[in-house]
Amino acid sequence: MTLQVGVIGTGMIGRDHIRRLTNVVSGVEIVGVTDIDQARAAAAAPAGAEVFATPSALISSEKVEAVIICSWGPAHEEQLLACIASGKPVFCEKPLVTSESAALRVMEAEVACGRRLIQVGFMRRFDSDYRRLKAVIDGGKLGAPLMFHSVHRNASVPEGLYTSEMPLNDTLVHDADISRWLLSDEVIGVEVRAPRRSSRGGALRDPVFVLLHMASGALVDVEISVNIAYGYDIRGEVSCEAGVAALPNRPATVISDSNGIRQAIPEDWRERFIDAYDQEFREWIVAASNGTASGPSTWDGYAATLVADAALRAVVSGGFEPVNMIAKPNLYGRPAAMAAE
Ligand code: NAP
């Protein structure tokens, strides 16, 4: 059986997902695309796919069984609610939405529908290195996790594309989600410190140092540097009671020449997480073909949104900003049962 999908948003990641769904993963066919820019959608459409005039026309089309949302964040809420109203499984790129109230509206609609329909694009959970790290922590031999040091470095971001708070409202959601998932914990508060500003970052608040306070008492520190020049560098190390577990340096060819001995660094997220993106879609296709969703949920998207909001408040207050979540709806499992999802 082949899952017939429609893609909303044919920008940078939309086109990358179209490539992977067309050439890499199986069990799926792209039957429709749409974008505000119709010419861009037409250029990105695989052979035989229809170019729809609007997201709502794509979502309501009988030929579309499941939807992939790759538009920008502020458009996600309306498109997610339309997918839920149509009962269609949907993969939504992060962020789920851009405000707490929008996250609650989407969650309420999905809960009322009675089954999970949404998977959020937190692809790190599908990365084999992160999965092995989590297996070690969950295995318990190192004892309870006490601290997680997370490093998120981008070579650069396009000048003028983002507001000054982009590292906190766009980038941090990945670190917030992976921290909750790795430690099977929730964030209860956030602090932010801004060190000396990088001269390469223009108006951006870059770098930033974020401290996530977890419900268990564990602490997570996150370095976000989005203009670090040398490449895309993701690191993580978990300090536990009886040992430390860390992500490995990526295996790469070792080059020896007149510059010394070195290994290449990924240019960007597409290269570093290429296998993780493939795997997140393999798992999404299986669940969506059964009319539901697995993996990172609306609850996880809601949690990440609250953490980003608290981080933005913490920049202003200079202190600890609490994260207050509603009680977890049964649809998203027991509070401590994050390991399987
Ligand atoms: P992008 O290059 O700007 O592409 C977004 C596309 O969606 C653009 O063509 C845009 O058109 C279109 N669009 C915007 N609003 C729309 C709407 N209401 N209906 C239909 N099309 C609409 O951005 P991107 O980098 O691909 O990012 C897209 C999403 O993926 C964002 O939510 C981003 O945070 C997320 N993302 C996730 C990852 C990850 O690691 N998981 C990595 C990159 C991006 P216009 O340009 O004309 O507005």
Side-chain angles (χ1 to χ4, degrees):
M1 199 181 79
T2 302
L3 183 70
Q4 317 274 299
V5 304
V7 178
I8 300 173
T10 53
M12 187 163 49
I13 204 161
R15 289 196 299 275
D16 199 43
H17 289 337
I18 288 172
R19 173 196 62 75
R20 101 177 357 97
L21 293 170
T22 309
N23 301 328
V24 183
V25 302
S26 57
V28 66
E29 181 188 357
I30 297 172
V31 295
V33 297
T34 188
D35 193 287
I36 284 182
D37 182 334
Q38 291 281 293
R40 192 183 298 148
E50 181 175 343
V51 178
F52 287 91
T54 62
S56 61
L58 178 145
I59 293 165
S60 59
S61 166
E62 280 185 3
K63 66 167 82 161
V64 172
E65 295 173 327
V67 178
I68 295 169
I69 296 178
C70 299
S71 55
W72 73 316
H76 291 180
E77 179 188 0
E78 186 183 346
Q79 295 162 4
L80 286 166
L81 290 173
C83 290
I84 295 170
S86 300
K88 295 188 180 177
V90 50
F91 174 93
C92 181
E93 262 309 338
K94 66 85 192 165
L96 174 74
V97 288
T98 50
S99 71
E100 177 177 1
S101 55
L104 290 172
R105 284 191 290 273
V106 171
M107 196 161 16
E108 192 183 353
E110 193 181 36
V111 168
C113 160
R115 71 180 197 280
R116 277 199 54 195
L117 287 174
I118 297 171
Q119 176 176 322
V120 184
F122 289 130
M123 76 296 182
R124 290 189 191 185
R125 294 188 186 204
F126 300 86
D127 175 71
S128 52
D129 293 334
Y130 272 113
R131 285 186 161 183
R132 279 190 283 268
L133 180 58
K134 179 164 177 58
V136 169
I137 296 164
D138 288 349
K141 289 194 176 146
L142 300 184
L146 309 175
M147 289 177 283
F148 173 38
H149 313 290
S150 189
V151 172
H152 188 144
R153 298 183 182 136
N154 284 66
S156 63
V157 290
E159 205 176 327
L161 187 63
Y162 295 105
T163 67
S164 66
E165 305 301 359
M166 168 264 175
L168 295 176
N169 65 18
D170 191 79
T171 309
L172 177 63
V173 290
H174 279 301
D175 300 277
D177 182 71
I178 206 67
S179 302
R180 298 175 54 252
W181 179 75
L182 267 181
L183 305 184
S184 303
D185 211 341
E186 289 294 1
V187 181
I188 58 163
V190 181
E191 292 177 72
V192 176
R193 295 288 179 273
R196 178 178 180 179
R197 194 175 282 224
S198 166
S199 61
R200 294 174 38 82
L204 285 178
R205 187 182 304 281
D206 175 50
V208 284
F209 184 80
V210 181
L211 199 57
L212 305 179
H213 295 253
M214 310 302 288
S216 65
L219 284 177
V220 176
D221 61 82
V222 187
E223 172 196 323
I224 300 177
S225 299
V226 296
N227 276 290
I228 201 127
Y230 70 87
Y232 184 74
D233 194 3
I234 300 296
R235 302 182 188 201
E237 183 174 275
V238 183
S239 298
C240 303
E241 290 169 308
V244 173
L247 288 175
N249 284 334
R250 300 290 297 167
T253 305
V254 179
I255 302 164
S256 304
D257 63 10
S258 57
N259 293 316
I261 301 172
R262 63 190 194 282
Q263 288 177 286
I265 295 167
E267 263 180 46
D268 65 16
W269 37 272
R270 280 171 292 205
E271 184 182 345
R272 166 63 181 84
F273 286 112
I274 189 166
D275 295 333
Y277 289 115
D278 293 348
Q279 188 59 24
E280 80 176 340
F281 274 102
R282 285 192 195 97
E283 296 184 28
W284 178 70
I285 289 162
V286 170
S289 298
N290 288 316
T292 185
S294 63
S297 66
T298 304
W299 176 257
D300 300 311
Y302 161 69
T305 302
L306 292 195
V307 172
D309 285 354
L312 292 172
R313 291 198 308 276
V315 168
V316 178
S317 73
F320 174 93
E321 288 295 328
V323 171
N324 296 313
M325 300 179 78
I326 62 167
K328 192 172 186 179
N330 290 336
L331 185 65
Y332 306 112
R334 289 175 292 116
M338 295 174 60
E341 287 293 303

